[in-house]
Amino acid sequence: MQFPQTKRLVLLLVTFVLLSAGVRAQTTPEVLKVEPPSWWAGSSVNPVRLLIRGKNLKNARVNAAGGGWRIVGAPKTNERGTYLFVDVAIAANAKPGTRSLIINTGGKPSSFALAEASFEILPPLRRAGRFQGFSPADVMYLIMLDRFSDGDPANNDPPQSRGIFDRENKFYYHGGDLQGVIDRLPYLKDLGVTAVWLTPWYDNYDHPNQIELKEGKPSTGFHGYNPQDFYGVEEHFGTLAKLQELVAAAHRSGIKIIQDEVVNHTGPYHPWVDDPPTPTWFNGTRANHLKNVFQTWVLHDPRPVEDLKRATMEGWFLDFLPDLNQKDPEVSRYLIQNTLWWIGTTGLDGIRMDTWQYVPNSFWRDWNATLKREFPSFKVVGEVKDGDAVHTSFFQGGKVRFDGVDSGLDSLLDFPLFYPIRHAFAEGRQLNEIPKTLAKDYLYNNSEILVTLFGGHDDGRFMSERGATIAGLKLANAFLLTTRGVPQLYYGDEIAMTGADEPTTRGDFPGGFPGDKRNAFSSAGRKKDEEDLFQYIRKLTRLHRELEPLQRGELVNLYVADQQYAYARKTKNAAVVVVINNEARAAEFEFDITPAGFQDGVILVDRLGVGNGTQVSRGKMKVKFPERSAVILVQK
Ligand SMILES: [Ca+2]
Ligand SMILES: [Ca+2]
Ligand SMILES: [Ca+2]
């Protein structure tokens, strides 16, 4: 059968279009993501290495279009042509603005072989009031972003991740976000907070997690620790612009922002898991990897069993969190740049680093060195969740350890002190466990900068411990805000929130969410006990700010008994004496006050309003005060 002329022409045309589309699909390069998407001129990291994810990127040649930057060296691609590594050098005087990388995979420039990748050159942020670090003069406050305050209900069930918001499900998103934190800055300032640690805001997966079942059902990444994009802001929390707005607004309120970072692992749904940029990007593969055995003690053992050490350092957390291989130079470079990018593009002040001990010290040395070169005042606190100071102190920097490496780490979450505080003030066990723990401070290179805490999002709340009372919680706060270190509060503990285990410790702050029955952000919405506690902590943070020795004074122990503890914080010019009675009855005792530097005849008065004035006589001080109470004594 003969086709009519026109029909044959149409057929020919269709065939041609289909064929060329096939050719295009098979060979035309395509760009899906550029990481980092931007960088600032004048950075100490120059050139910057871009990781471009896409398709058909083999044999790519790359040109930098627009002025003020250039390609350095030859780009590299991976075996499958899905990743391209390109180094770009940015001129110190480069004009801010969007640029293009032209990617050409054909012999000659032709439209079939070209793709474009967008990149932005940023003006450097002005340094004043940014990148500040933290110090013992601060009062830190940990916020679980999803559970604190919902400032934008429009992002609660966004189109790209429909169906993982459910306030009735403790493993789903509840609506808290960056706008909510902005809205509560006046509350935080009033409480006396000067630094906010926010749980991770990385973009986490957009659907229920079918791999990690909680109570037999799929969970979500509401907690933020399962990133699928290290350069993205989770859509339930807001946008990069909103984050930048939050940092700026916090700084105007005198509040620093601490980012929670994860570099040990990715979330289970990160696109790298099935398509790694290099063959050694992860320790193992989804099908074949070690499971983390958590034998962390071998990490500080000079004679470790290597198999145990490897399974602890390189094993996959919970068997499903892909363990990044920081010994791969490309992984190391990616992660270092990623950290600098968040700081440099937002102006934030410090980092709390998750799962610190599962990442090699040699990586940390390089990471810290690059970080401090760009942001010298910046500070990092590492999470080493362990109650033994012999173990935790091993990870602090400032000292070359037996492995030949100084990690450079500033601070650690002080978990060795966490447990004695809980035992003494919640359970009513012996108070002298606390000075016994502080006696191990010599193990640290610097114990003054440790972040002290008795509450956090991975542990049940103080008020859910057996024996906990508001009186005990007050004492825990009085101790935390007067001992050495950087005090860290956990959101909701100031109103005695409860929650005995991991999901319930992350409860919604009452008043932070649409339809809440009461608003505990205001005095009127707090119950009597809660208000009393809130005002007590508020008074402590004010004393912490007002009395310089509480920020930087040397810690001097004066008296230790089973349930009583007295100590001074002492600077060259002043001293503050703190006395705590943890017993369920009134106490009266005398101790040598001369180490605090007070002379006979000096009268000390209590700034917490519990005790009367007391006079130093023959180098001694006698105190008498009620059951389970504390005094903060200063010279009259
Ligand atoms: Ca919201
Ligand atoms: Ca997401
Ligand atoms: Ca690891």
Side-chain angles (χ1 to χ4, degrees), residues 143 159 166 222 244 342 417 449 459 494 501 574 578:
I143 287 175
D166 180 1
F222 78 89
Q244 289 163 326
W342 285 111
L417 200 52
I449 192 71
D459 295 278
E494 72 273 25
D501 51 14
V578 182

Side-chain angles (χ1 to χ4, degrees), residues 263-265 283 292 312-315 317 323-326 355 357-360:
V263 308
N264 178 63
H265 52 260
N283 292 313
N292 198 318
T312 302
M313 293 296 291
E314 302 177 7
F317 248 71
D323 198 70
L324 285 163
N325 173 20
Q326 297 83 7
T355 44
Q357 58 186 327
Y358 306 99
V359 174

Side-chain angles (χ1 to χ4, degrees), residues 191 421-422 424-428 431 434 454 461-464 467-483 487-489 492-497 527-541 543 567 578-583 606 608-610 625-632:
L191 179 59
I421 297 176
R422 286 288 188 102
F425 297 123
E427 298 174 42
L431 180 59
I434 287 177
F454 59 80
R461 285 188 183 269
F462 183 100
M463 282 307 286
S464 291
T469 59
I470 297 270
L473 183 49
K474 281 181 168 179
L475 290 187
N477 278 287
F479 170 69
L480 192 79
L481 284 147
T482 56
T483 190
Q488 178 238 296
L489 312 173
D493 277 354
E494 72 273 25
I495 53 162
M497 279 173 69
K527 297 168 191 160
K528 192 183 167 297
D529 265 7
E530 295 170 356
E531 176 65 5
D532 185 38
L533 173 66
F534 178 91
Q535 292 303 340
Y536 187 82
I537 297 170
R538 190 171 172 276
K539 192 185 278 179
L540 286 168
T541 61
L543 289 173
Y567 51 97
V578 182
V579 194
I580 300 173
N581 174 25
N582 193 42
E583 207 151 17
D606 173 29
L608 281 177
V610 175
F625 56 94
E627 62 172 72
R628 305 213 81 186
S629 56
V631 292
I632 297 178

Side-chain angles (χ1 to χ4, degrees), residues 82-114:
T82 48
Y83 289 93
L84 182 60
F85 296 89
V86 187
D87 286 2
V88 297
I90 299 168
N93 61 355
K95 261 213 194 120
T98 304
R99 305 290 199 281
S100 288
L101 285 173
I102 309 300
I103 296 165
N104 181 356
T105 52
K108 283 184 232 153
S110 87
S111 63
F112 280 7
L114 290 182

Side-chain angles (χ1 to χ4, degrees), residues 21-37:
V23 168
R24 283 190 72 98
Q26 278 164 33
T27 62
T28 305
E30 201 179 320
V31 169
L32 299 169
K33 193 158 175 62
V34 181
E35 300 174 86

